[in-house]
Amino acid sequence: MKPVILATCLMALAGQATALSCMRPDPIATFQRVAAAPEAYFVLYGQLSFDERALPAGVSQNAIRDPAPIPAQFVGKGLTTEGFTNDYISPVTLQVGCAGPWCGSARSGVDALYFVRADEPPVTMQAGPCGGMIFEEPDQATLDAITTCIQGGPCSSQHLQ
């Protein structure tokens, strides 16, 4: 009987472990995806300020549904064909997404690259469980590659690896 219980427990854990299978987020692939989307997007670089205590746990014992939006302030620059040159200072909303017990996250006061749907203000920063819309502490090569992408140049993350 014990082997059956152990096998059942292992299968349940394996199901949970494989339930969230994420590809490694890539800012260039994200740029390409949002550039091809029918909706307009902002590409922003700067700092988000918010109360980190409002974040749901990154991994919880229970499934989390629809965490409350978190009010935040963004201070930084928007991407233009000249680079990150447009001042963008605005109240925003941080919306954390969860898939079962796994939740996305963000850090307050950290330089990051944000891909944000260009809706009416305040725009919403999405922090999904697999990442992909917020890239913390990007290096200069990544920022330069994103600028090259918007200028219509080669848009590949191969040289960043």
Side-chain angles (χ1 to χ4, degrees):
M1 181 71 164
K2 284 185 182 180
V4 171
I5 293 172
L6 179 61
T8 303
C9 289
L10 287 175
M11 286 178 16
L13 289 174
Q16 286 182 353
T18 60
L20 185 66
S21 179
C22 300
M23 300 209 33
R24 184 171 182 223
D26 174 339
I28 304 303
T30 299
F31 178 90
Q32 292 169 331
R33 183 170 47 82
V34 301
E39 308 85 17
Y41 280 81
F42 295 131
V43 181
L44 305 173
Y45 174 66
Q47 292 188 2
L48 195 60
S49 299
F50 62 94
D51 183 356
E52 289 186 3
R53 295 174 297 182
L55 290 168
V59 176
S60 151
Q61 294 298 326
N62 302 312
I64 300 173
R65 292 190 94 111
D66 305 322
I70 301 169
Q73 176 74 22
F74 180 82
V75 176
K77 302 283 185 177
L79 182 64
T80 71
T81 56
E82 302 300 316
F84 289 91
T85 58
N86 258 7
D87 288 339
Y88 193 95
I89 300 168
S90 179
V92 298
T93 300
L94 174 62
Q95 182 62 63
V96 175
C98 298
W102 298 276
C103 294
S105 190
R107 292 189 299 162
S108 183
V110 174
D111 286 335
L113 185 61
Y114 298 88
F115 294 87
V116 183
R117 194 166 161 177
D119 293 328
E120 291 296 318
V123 297
T124 300
M125 313 295 206
Q126 298 285 341
C130 289
M133 298 303 274
I134 301 173
F135 296 90
E136 293 181 350
E137 301 177 328
D139 59 15
Q140 189 60 49
T142 299
L143 299 175
D144 292 345
I146 294 289
T147 300
T148 299
C149 289
I150 200 164
Q151 292 171 340
C155 192
S156 168
S157 58
Q158 284 184 313
H159 69 281
L160 296 176
Q161 307 203 12

